[in-house]
Amino acid sequence: MKAIAVNPIIVALDVESAAEARDLVTRLGSHVDFYKVGLELYAASGMEVVRDLLAQGKEVFLDLKFYDIPETVKRAVAQVAKTGVRFLTIHGSASIMRAAVEGRGSSSLQLLAVTVLTSFGPEDMKDIGSDCEIAELVERRARKAVECGMDGLVASPLDAAAIRRIVPQETILVTPGVRSAGSAKGDQKRVATPAEAMRDGANYLVIGRQITRAADPAEEAERVLEEIAGATAGVR
């Protein structure tokens, strides 16, 4: 396989129990070193699986999309900052992001602002009372996140190129909604292939079902890495 400087895959552990998560991590072995723990698994096992992953030397993306009154967010972020988690998601509202940055303090925790969910479509924008286009809202929130001192952004791969044009180079860009050609989209509406997302400026790709539900998750992870390496060789 062609070498990739940093493995960009974050596997989404969207499973029902810590036992299922451990089984997946074991099956993936050294092929993946970064995992996302989201609401479903967190509701099932709390910080247990997070501690297990950290103890194995894995990186953890805690995707809880904090959104509450600023003081509560600040104090909750301060607790996460003690754990050794690498990424934590925060709702892209200015007061919430500023509170999260304050709560993070001098720790190594990196905060990611959620721009617009990859499941959002035009009808969802109308439902929240917004008349602007999705792309406009994404760019507005991206600019605000940088202004508030966030480390990075979570955004659809379809928005990656536009975001890269308006944020500092060091801004971390994590893209969910990534599927290889021919893979099922599930409940995602705004998706792209891994190679497309990387070419457009993503640093990390969150991939779930394509890998976790494969007959051989490790083999599928390697296939995705091969796909990225082949398509982006000499581009970045």
Side-chain angles (χ1 to χ4, degrees), residues 89-112:
T89 44
I90 308 295
H91 191 277
S93 173
S95 62
I96 305 305
M97 292 189 290
R98 284 193 289 266
V101 170
E102 184 179 355
R104 180 259 310 276
S106 61
S107 74
S108 61
L109 176 64
Q110 293 179 304
L111 301 172
L112 306 180

Side-chain angles (χ1 to χ4, degrees), residues 61-215:
F61 169 17
L62 191 55
D63 185 24
L64 298 184
K65 302 179 180 69
F66 281 3
Y67 186 53
D68 209 311
I69 62 172
E71 180 65 16
T72 296
V73 169
K74 180 182 78 173
R75 294 169 69 88
V77 169
Q79 292 300 316
V80 174
K82 299 174 184 178
T83 66
V85 162
R86 171 85 175 276
F87 292 158
L88 173 68
T89 44
I90 308 295
H91 191 277
S93 173
S95 62
I96 305 305
M97 292 189 290
R98 284 193 289 266
V101 170
E102 184 179 355
R104 180 259 310 276
S106 61
S107 74
S108 61
L109 176 64
Q110 293 179 304
L111 301 172
L112 306 180
V114 177
T115 54
V116 175
L117 299 175
T118 53
S119 62
F120 256 48
E123 68 281 5
D124 299 295
M125 296 294 288
K126 292 178 183 177
D127 191 51
I128 64 173
S130 177
D131 294 325
C132 72
E133 297 293 326
I134 290 176
E136 181 183 346
L137 180 58
V138 167
E139 291 191 25
R140 186 186 307 164
R141 286 183 168 171
R143 292 180 191 277
K144 183 59 68 173
V146 171
E147 180 185 316
C148 290
M150 300 291 280
D151 300 289
L153 303 157
V154 178
S156 162
L158 300 186
D159 299 318
I163 288 173
R164 271 287 165 231
R165 289 193 290 269
I166 63 173
V167 300
Q169 184 177 0
E170 65 270 17
T171 302
I172 300 164
L173 183 55
V174 178
T175 58
V178 176
R179 302 281 190 279
S180 293
S183 297
K185 292 183 178 180
D187 56 358
Q188 308 284 3
K189 296 179 182 176
R190 297 181 298 125
V191 303
T193 68
E196 288 168 342
M198 294 297 292
R199 281 199 302 259
D200 285 344
N203 300 106
Y204 294 94
L205 315 174
V206 178
I207 303 177
R209 285 164 282 195
Q210 179 180 342
I211 289 176
T212 61
R213 298 186 184 179

Side-chain angles (χ1 to χ4, degrees), residues 48-68:
E48 175 190 352
V49 71
V50 172
R51 295 189 187 96
D52 284 350
L53 289 166
L54 293 172
Q56 294 178 59
K58 304 297 186 181
E59 300 269 24
V60 176
F61 169 17
L62 191 55
D63 185 24
L64 298 184
K65 302 179 180 69
F66 281 3
Y67 186 53
D68 209 311

